[in-house]
Amino acid sequence: MIDIIPPLHLSDESLNKLFSYRLSRIREVMRLKQVSVLILTSPVSLRYAVNFDEYQLFQSHIPTCYLFLSLEGPIQLHGATGRKFPNVTHYQGSDFLTPFDGGLDLSTNTQHLISNLQAFSQQLNEPLESVGLERMSPQVSQRLTDKAIQVYDAEPIIEQAKLIKCELEIDCLKHSIQVAQYGMQLMYQALRPGITENQLWSIMHQVNAAHGGDWIEGNMLASGPRTNPWLQEASHRIIEKGDMVAFDTDMIGPLGYIADISRSWICGGGKGNQAQRDAYRHAYDEVHHNMQLIKPGISFRELSEQAFIRKAEYRDNRYVCSFHGAGLSDEYPKIYYQEDWARSGYDGLVQENMVLCVESYSGIKGGSVGVKLEEMVRVTSKGITPLTDFPFEDELLKDSYP
């Protein structure tokens, strides 16, 4: 059995403030976009809106439950077992808009949902003219359009709402990070020749579950030659002495907040070989250079343009982005490298009280060594405050053999 670090104790008053803040953020954006009602299905959106926390991974691929959220007035949750969710005014059964729940022909259930939405809209202070939908059957969009109701994508509304964190959210993020870094400490202690990647990674899962966390987005741990290229998930490979071991926590922890941290270690410790040290130094320098660029008012494009100039040998094997948002999960924005900007980049402004992850993957294309490093920071009026503080490997930052 593992020890448990102290939980984050939030009073009922603090929890109510947290949930009210998140709801107010959603409604602020709804008002800006002139959307009357949202119908939400994503477990992350449901968690943000009403702290829904039932069977979240199941909900992510079979969205049995959904939420009617009005701009002003009632909030109605469909399909939930519990009756404890903040700011929910009404509970009803689900009309089952998935083939698993409702069969292969969803036309009748879709009509039931539209009828329930119309009944719900009668409680509003104005006619139902616009609805934001999140990942629902296209039949729902078609039925609403047939009734001359404007249909919007709800997902950008929720992402914009989640962008700015209140102080209580920062406290929740810090606690999830504390739990993840405790798991990392136990992994560090357990790392020895003969352990498999899966065995090592399971420690993080156990720590998260023991602290009431939700899930881990991927099994992002690799060792030795499997560290290059990146995004190879954990396997039964036996870790050997001298292997580089790299991982990315992607942990959705207590109260649903993410801890997104990456580190790379040498099994058995020490300075490693020259290729390992070179890759580690490159990743370390990239993360720390890019952290210092962040400030309120800088644009996403400027961050991309001013980002660390990667050495030529590491460019082809770059990570998918250099910065991204974080909160209940990975969030908007995703800020791309200049090489990818023309195809995928989009602009915006960094704002105070956003939380950003700063990432680097450094591995030569076709090589056998890769290093993954990542830090989380809070944007402040003067720049950033780091949220993560797990130590780096000083030995790997040295330039010469012992």
Side-chain angles (χ1 to χ4, degrees):
M1 296 291 289
I2 64 168
D3 294 329
I4 305 296
I5 64 175
L8 177 64
H9 289 295
L10 293 179
S11 66
D12 290 344
E13 179 182 5
S14 293
L15 285 170
N16 288 335
K17 285 182 179 178
L18 173 64
F19 302 144
S20 295
Y21 172 80
R22 298 192 317 208
L23 179 58
S24 71
R25 285 286 303 171
I26 296 173
R27 284 176 160 164
E28 179 183 337
V29 182
M30 290 175 67
R31 193 169 291 109
L32 181 67
K33 303 295 185 182
Q34 298 183 322
V35 175
S36 303
V37 172
L38 298 182
I39 304 180
L40 303 179
T41 60
S42 161
V44 176
S45 300
L46 293 172
R47 187 72 185 256
Y48 188 78
V50 296
N51 205 42
F52 178 83
D53 59 356
E54 293 181 355
Y55 291 89
Q56 293 176 84
L57 287 182
F58 185 93
Q59 176 72 17
S60 71
H61 61 97
I62 303 180
T64 297
C65 302
Y66 51 89
L67 185 76
F68 292 171
L69 194 160
S70 63
L71 176 58
E72 296 179 1
I75 299 176
Q76 189 164 288
L77 183 57
H78 294 252
T81 300
R83 295 293 185 268
K84 59 181 174 59
F85 300 108
N87 299 312
V88 174
T89 53
H90 300 89
Y91 293 88
Q92 286 195 14
S94 175
D95 288 312
F96 295 138
L97 268 295
T98 71
F100 176 79
D101 289 320
L104 300 180
D105 182 358
L106 298 173
S107 56
T108 300
N109 288 16
T110 300
Q111 184 55 53
H112 289 163
L113 182 141
I114 298 299
S115 297
N116 276 324
L117 180 62
Q118 290 174 316
F120 175 80
S121 70
Q122 293 175 3
Q123 306 172 64
L124 308 181
N125 296 326
E126 57 185 28
L128 180 63
E129 297 178 345
S130 56
V131 173
L133 293 182
E134 185 178 55
R135 305 180 186 184
M136 297 199 80
S137 167
Q139 292 189 48
V140 178
S141 298
Q142 187 60 57
R143 292 290 180 91
L144 290 171
T145 301
D146 291 345
K147 295 180 179 295
I149 295 173
Q150 183 69 43
V151 177
Y152 293 90
D153 185 352
E155 194 164 356
I157 294 173
I158 297 297
E159 286 298 297
Q160 187 173 345
K162 292 189 294 184
L163 192 64
I164 306 301
K165 309 300 188 287
C166 69
E167 203 64 42
L168 286 166
E169 288 189 280
I170 298 297
D171 289 342
C172 292
L173 280 160
K174 287 179 178 178
H175 179 62
S176 190
I177 289 167
Q178 184 183 21
V179 171
Q181 292 188 157
Y182 174 55
M184 291 162 62
Q185 176 187 339
L186 296 183
M187 288 170 59
Y188 194 84
Q189 294 169 357
L191 178 57
R192 65 187 186 278
I195 193 171
T196 70
E197 294 172 353
N198 283 327
Q199 286 175 316
L200 185 62
W201 188 234
S202 71
I203 296 170
M204 183 63 69
H205 283 273
Q206 184 182 7
V207 169
N208 192 33
H211 289 83
D214 288 343
W215 70 84
I216 293 176
E217 297 273 37
N219 296 320
M220 294 313 307
L221 182 146
S223 65
R226 297 187 68 255
T227 59
N228 190 334
W230 188 237
L231 298 177
Q232 300 185 66
E233 296 190 79
S235 72
H236 292 299
R237 182 183 184 273
I238 296 172
I239 300 172
E240 301 175 4
K241 183 177 176 59
D243 278 347
M244 182 69 75
V245 178
F247 64 90
D248 187 338
T249 60
D250 280 328
M251 188 190 88
I252 312 300
L255 294 172
Y257 282 87
I258 194 169
D260 195 2
I261 313 164
S262 297
R263 290 293 186 269
S264 297
W265 304 323
I266 297 290
C267 179
K271 293 177 62 176
N273 60 41
Q274 192 67 50
Q276 291 169 332
R277 291 197 301 278
D278 288 347
Y280 195 93
R281 168 59 74 178
H282 190 268
Y284 180 91
D285 287 349
E286 178 175 16
V287 167
H288 286 81
H289 172 93
N290 288 348
M291 285 169 60
Q292 299 310 309
L293 299 175
I294 300 169
K295 59 185 177 181
I298 193 169
S299 71
F300 304 164
R301 180 185 292 274
E302 288 172 322
L303 277 179
S304 178
E305 290 172 344
Q306 297 174 27
F308 181 75
I309 299 175
R310 293 167 61 83
K311 292 183 178 181
E313 59 264 35
Y314 294 111
R315 287 177 193 162
D316 288 346
N317 236 6
R318 62 189 172 273
Y319 192 56
V320 296
C321 65
S322 47
F323 309 83
H324 69 79
L328 289 179
S329 61
D330 283 359
E331 296 177 356
Y332 168 90
K334 182 180 181 181
I335 301 175
Y336 292 87
Y337 285 101
Q338 276 294 285
E339 293 93 334
D340 305 309
W341 188 269
R343 180 178 185 273
S344 303
Y346 52 85
D347 212 353
L349 291 178
V350 172
Q351 301 175 56
E352 187 175 355
N353 288 325
M354 287 172 57
V355 171
L356 293 174
C357 296
V358 187
E359 305 215 38
S360 176
Y361 171 75
S362 293
I364 297 172
K365 187 173 183 179
S368 60
V369 174
V371 170
K372 183 70 169 60
L373 299 178
E374 179 181 12
E375 292 278 73
M376 297 178 69
V377 302
R378 175 187 188 175
V379 182
T380 68
S381 60
K382 297 181 180 179
I384 61 163
T385 298
L387 297 176
T388 41
D389 60 5
F390 198 90
F392 291 93
E393 297 297 285
D394 291 338
E395 288 291 303
L396 283 170
L397 295 171
K398 295 177 181 178
D399 293 328
S400 60
Y401 289 104

